[in-house]
Amino acid sequence: MRLSISSFRLKLLVFVAVLIASAAFLEVYCRFSNRFRDPSFSYLQRIAEVDASKAVLGDSHVGDTSYIPHYAFLGQPGQQPGELLLLVRSLYMHRRPERVIVEASPQWFGEYHAGRRPLLTLTSLAPPKSLFGVRLLALSGPYSGALFDNLWADLRSVVAAILTAAAHANVPRPVPEALKRIKREWEESASNSTWSQFPLEKRQVLTTGRVYEQNPIDRFEMSEPLHAFENAITFLIANGAEVCLFRTPVSTDYLRIASQITDSRYAAFDTYIAGFAASKELKFIDFRSLSFSFDDSKFINADHLTSTAADAMWPLVANACFQS
Amino acid sequence: MLFSSYQFFAFLSTTIVVLALAGRLSQRFFLLTMIVCSLVFYGWLRADYTLILIGSAGVNFAIATRLEQSRSKTLFGCGIAFNLLLLGVFKYADFAVANGNILFGVDWALPHIVLPLALSFITFEQISFLSDIRSKKVARGDFLRYFAFITFFPKLIAGPIIRYRELLPQLGRAGVNSAEQVFTGLCVFCFALFKKVMIADRLAPVVDQTVSNLQSGGMASQADAISALLAYSLQIFFDFSAYSEMAIGIAWMFGIQLPVNFNSPYKASSLIDFWRRWHITLSSFLRDYVYFPLGGSRDGLLRTSINLLIVMLVGGIWHGAAWTFVAWGFVHGVALVAAHGLHGIEFVQRSTDGWLGRTLVWALSMSIVLFAWILFRSPDFSTAQRWFLSIIINNDVHIHTVAIPQRWFILSVLLWVLCFPNIPRLFCIEADRENVDWNSPDGIPPVKLWVAAVAAIALVMSIVVMAREETNAFIYFQF
């Protein structure tokens, strides 16, 4: 009888130990596996973990590198207003926003979003379930969805590596921090890294293409993305945020071409955003009003700043938004 | 509430604690608390359906009270009619009206009555209860015990179909009796949960995509059609056997043994053997309460064949209100008649003695089972026809619905089914209900150490997959 009781305790102990060990293994795998180094995963992880009481929200013009001390920068290439709405709801459902700068640029409503699959969805933004206050990535929608496929793929790679007996070295994916640092070093050191160094005629072709892509869609004022954008702002205000709208910079050529293309709706956007900001009594900062020279040497392409320029500009934006 | 949901985990943990406390007070209080927990479980989504459950149980118990005294054939008939009428109204009203419209050229509106969960299963349990009371196989007992039998939540929604005479003796001793018993039940549950969320739910998209393509008028490539058929055969097995085994595990946590419902059916040596291993509790219900009362095999080959056909048609229509289910039952009925006929021929018996003969019989039997699944899964005959044609004709189809990794997955699962032991064997649970002494069942013996360790891994993996919150409802919930 005594033996049976101790045997049960041993089984229970083994069960619990294996349970904890395998859960820990899967969580560690989610956090450190190269297969989860994909930018979309790190973005979702940042959203889940970042303190966004002070934040800058937008798309790739905002990016994920913080250029204002104590501000979380949350922006992904191609992010859409519907995603912005889900993002603010997810960030501030249980947390009070303080100061939030929201990108207010025409490309929110650009035609290039048509058919694009959103990264931020209700499932992907559902906060990971917590255990004793620790948020477990393995129990969040996107990680859970990809976990066993990735694990299986890694297992296959390991088997393949053993079978080929190191016949050739596998090139591992570089870690994001290293990528960011080297990219920055290259931008700072290389003489041909800025937009101004790119041949003018090529610049103009690329800029024109970009301007057409980002031209707000026809009747954008009545569109679903616009409602999502306005709802996101309204949600922030209702939750007590001090909101500032900011039109992110583009090159001089971009601005010129934007007024010349067929069916340009950039001017209509300017009118709309100024009216919307006034109706909500929000401060709206247009990049052109900043005391900063936006010549082509500050850009890496027609509508994205270099890291150095972004470093210099964003504190000015914060000042313009909240200091006066 | 799905067994494979976090909600259920919370419910189960609470129920174990509550019932452990209730059991300390008295057995009657334990049963009463178990009934309340079961009603919470059942009424989680539609509380009003618990009224149907209570009403139906009340009427059956009242009839049983009279039957115990009089054994009246008319009263028994009324009891059966009441149960079938209830099932008919909720399950077959649309089917009857739609066919009436076609037959009589009228245009009556479909009533669109939603089938309450569990009604099909409860109907059979109540019929078996009335029959057993009438034939004095079991004493009626009090309503509390009867209602605990009907509502017992682990088996409530989709079986295993247990009989009153099997559960009643256990209710007196039911309870959260020991930590080891709860732990053993938990380990069974973990394995079954893994089968549901890691296998059945992963096979579902393969089947759904192919069937959806066929339903919209397209054809599938031969490889896709075969893959989808194999995938569905495995999906329905893993889905339903997982539910049954979860029920067995949960019931054991409360000291109650439920009969095994699946015993490696795809390893069956013949079609007759398949029906002794697939949905065993339904097969044995149909055998004991339909086939035997019809005369069974006592009145010659022709009568036996007709009886078999009737039983399989009843089994078919029980699964769903559609002609495809009737056709599925018919195919199995005809095949069973043929199997029984061939079984009686000495030459055939001798030819199937060797391994080659046995393998051929297995292959033929499984082919019949697999092709019949086409009828079972297809929403209509034209989809079934296209699926069947896609398998036998090599189409030049450019749209592929089953990816290569999915085919490997199907193959791996198939090998698992054919090579590995099933859960009853892994946990040393008696698979043949005839060998269980239901007055004092042996239950599930304590698990082995390595089984406990694997169960822990299975639980972690299942919990991670459940975080996606895309778990499909169990297939048999719709029946």
Side-chain angles (χ1 to χ4, degrees), chain B residues 118-169:
Chain B
L119 194 61
S120 307
F121 290 87
I122 293 168
T123 301
F124 277 8
E125 284 177 346
Q126 310 224 71
I127 288 174
S128 79
F129 166 69
L130 293 180
S131 172
D132 288 356
I133 290 288
R134 184 167 177 268
S135 55
K136 304 263 183 218
K137 283 179 181 163
V138 66
R140 175 179 54 94
D142 58 19
F143 184 71
L144 186 74
R145 282 166 198 254
Y146 176 67
F147 200 48
F149 153 70
I150 288 296
T151 56
F152 185 46
F153 77 89
K155 59 87 194 167
L156 176 60
I157 309 287
I161 302 168
I162 189 165
R163 296 172 196 180
Y164 188 53
R165 64 172 188 261
E166 294 168 337
L167 198 67
L168 182 67

Side-chain angles (χ1 to χ4, degrees), chain B residues 229-230 233 265-266 268-271 274 328 331-332 335 359-375 388 391:
Chain B
L229 180 56
L230 286 173
S233 310
Y266 294 129
S269 56
S270 66
L271 198 66
F274 175 82
W328 173 78
V331 168
H332 271 283
T359 309
L360 281 174
V361 172
W362 171 82
L364 182 65
S365 306
M366 290 308 118
S367 304
I368 293 165
V369 170
L370 256 62
F371 276 103
W373 284 137
I374 292 180
L375 290 163
F388 184 74
I391 289 172

Side-chain angles (χ1 to χ4, degrees), chain B residues 62-77 130 133-136 140:
Chain B
I63 294 172
T65 309
R66 289 289 187 88
L67 266 181
E68 203 170 36
Q69 296 155 357
S70 71
R71 300 189 68 193
S72 152
K73 204 170 182 177
T74 316
L75 189 62
F76 179 62
L130 293 180
I133 290 288
R134 184 167 177 268
S135 55
K136 304 263 183 218
R140 175 179 54 94

